[in-house]
Structures are given as C-alpha cells and as structure tokens.
Amino acid sequence: EVQLVESGGGLAQPGGSLRLSCAASGFTFSSYWMSWVRQAPGKGLECVAKIKQDGSDKYYVDSVKGRFTISRDNAKNSLYLQMNNLGAEDTAVYYCARHSWGSLEYWGRGTLVTVSS
Amino acid sequence: DVVMTQSPLSLPVTLGQPASISCRSSQSLVHNDGNTYLTWFQQRPGQSPRRLIYKVSNRDSGVPDRFSGSGSGTDFTLKISRVEAEDVGVYYCMQGTHWPGTFGQGTKVEIK
C-alpha cells in the first residue's frame, strides 16, 4: 500500500524557516517524480515544487522561487521541502504527492504550516 | 500560468440524478508528447484530494464507473451519472501539461 506521511509543520514567525519531510513507503520511491502541493485554509490547491526521480531536475512556482528548496533522499525514501523567509501567504496545509501518468496519483494527509507572529 | 476555470462553483444535486462539471483552460493542454494531462480530483470534507480521472478520461483503480471524464484541447467535463451521498465534496480539475500545474477553483457538490 502506498503511504506518504508528511511531518515538520507548525508555527513559524514571519521571516522564519521550516523544513518539511515526507516519508514514503509501499512503492519504489526512486522511480517517481514527487511534488509538494499546498492548500491555504478554506482555499484551493497550488503546486509548489516538483523533483525528478534522481533529483537532477527541480521546478518551483514563482511565488516560492529563491525561498523554498525541494530535495529528496532516495536511500531514505524521503522527500523534503526547506522553506525560508516565510510569509503569511505561505500559511497552508502542505501535501506530498507522487506522480504518475502526468499527474498526482497519491497524496499524503498533509502537514499544517502557520506563519504568524 | 495556465488558468483553469470551473463551472459551476456550487452544484446542489438530488440523489440518483446526474451531475456535470465543466473545466476550461486558458490554453491548449495538449503536450508536446501528444498526451493531454487533465486530471480530476475529489476532496471530501477533512480529507486529502483523491485522484479520480487522469489524462482526460482514464478512471483510477477503485473509482466507481459512474464517474467519467471527457473533452479535448481546452474544454473538459466530469460527469457523475447518478450522484450518491458519498460523492459530496469539492471537485477540482488540474492541468499538468504546463509548469506550474494549476487547479480550477473547485466545484462544491452537495445533496439537495
């Protein structure tokens, strides 16, 4: 069974940092593109970043470029999102998702990031 | 970025009746590889999104056959042939052809 479990969310101050993790199991992690998607409270969905199987290609939405870094450790079956210089607009539930057939097939339960002073 | 526009945004439906959601994109979703990466998701209250349909019309494993997807180019539709109580939630279309992937605003399906 495919499982994606996010962790690392919490309360951060404006300008602060957080590092999200996603533990993957039930599939060959190194064979799939992976993404982070966020959903602000009561709002819609936004693709934040995605990373190729071997980590050689990374893509970011413009609003997080230069502040967020996606990475992965295939030996640990883990996906990460380093978030720096956080602002109120980054408050959201962050989901880890596995790609297949050109879209996001499996999603984790998400981890809530709240940016507030 | 590609803008995805869904309609309606709210859809009250009688149990057992059909429902249809439209999704339009601001540019063609046909990829250079010939595929059209249009996906439909269901998000039940308090849950993560669940993929229902990928590449316009392919139903995911375990998705009831009352759900179907169709369309091409910039115009797509999700149909539920007979709405059941468990179908209540918000439905999103998403394009994965162009980065960043973008979602529609969501259509809230509720029972009348």
Side-chain angles (χ1 to χ4, degrees):
Chain A
E1 179 195 2
V2 172
Q3 288 202 347
L4 298 168
V5 180
E6 302 91 339
S7 61
L11 179 63
Q13 298 228 333
S17 299
L18 280 176
R19 189 193 194 211
L20 305 184
S21 298
C22 171
S25 61
F27 65 100
T28 305
F29 180 71
S30 59
S31 296
Y32 292 87
W33 281 80
M34 297 293 296
S35 276
W36 288 99
V37 180
R38 66 185 178 183
Q39 186 170 32
K43 302 293 184 182
L45 297 156
E46 180 182 39
C47 291
V48 173
K50 68 176 180 181
I51 185 168
K52 197 176 179 180
Q53 291 92 328
D54 62 0
S56 60
D57 278 341
K58 304 174 184 181
Y59 296 82
Y60 301 92
V61 70
D62 283 349
S63 59
V64 308
K65 277 180 186 173
R67 300 189 300 122
F68 290 12
T69 302
I70 189 171
S71 62
R72 64 193 297 162
D73 185 334
N74 287 342
K76 294 183 177 179
N77 291 335
S78 293
L79 178 72
Y80 306 102
L81 187 68
Q82 177 67 43
M83 304 186 297
N84 297 331
N85 192 22
L86 286 162
E89 69 277 11
D90 298 314
T91 293
V93 174
Y94 284 73
Y95 296 102
C96 160
R98 190 194 89 172
H99 286 239
S100 78
W101 295 111
S103 78
L104 305 170
E105 181 179 12
Y106 290 101
W107 299 57
R109 290 178 174 266
T111 186
L112 177 62
V113 171
T114 303
V115 182
S116 175
S117 56
Chain B
D1 296 356
V2 177
V3 177
M4 304 297 287
T5 303
Q6 288 182 229
S7 64
L9 299 185
S10 177
L11 185 55
V13 188
T14 302
L15 286 173
Q17 292 301 301
S20 180
I21 301 171
S22 170
C23 175
R24 289 183 172 164
S25 58
S26 61
Q27 56 185 275
S28 174
L29 299 186
V30 180
H31 193 274
N32 291 339
D33 65 10
N35 290 304
T36 299
Y37 295 111
L38 187 283
T39 302
W40 289 96
F41 296 96
Q42 174 196 61
Q43 188 172 31
R44 291 173 172 149
Q47 295 188 12
S48 306
R50 169 199 183 195
R51 195 175 75 177
L52 301 175
I53 304 281
Y54 62 93
K55 289 203 298 179
V56 181
S57 60
N58 295 273
R59 215 171 19 250
D60 269 284
S61 175
V63 174
D65 61 7
R66 63 179 181 274
F67 290 92
S68 64
S70 63
S72 63
T74 62
D75 204 345
F76 305 92
T77 303
L78 176 71
K79 291 184 178 176
I80 310 173
S81 59
R82 295 172 306 280
V83 172
E84 298 190 6
E86 66 178 17
D87 300 335
V88 165
V90 180
Y91 291 77
Y92 294 94
C93 61
M94 177 205 168
Q95 68 82 19
T97 298
H98 309 280
W99 179 259
T102 47
F103 294 84
Q105 317 97 300
T107 295
K108 187 173 184 177
V109 172
E110 58 184 12
I111 306 300
K112 278 184 186 175

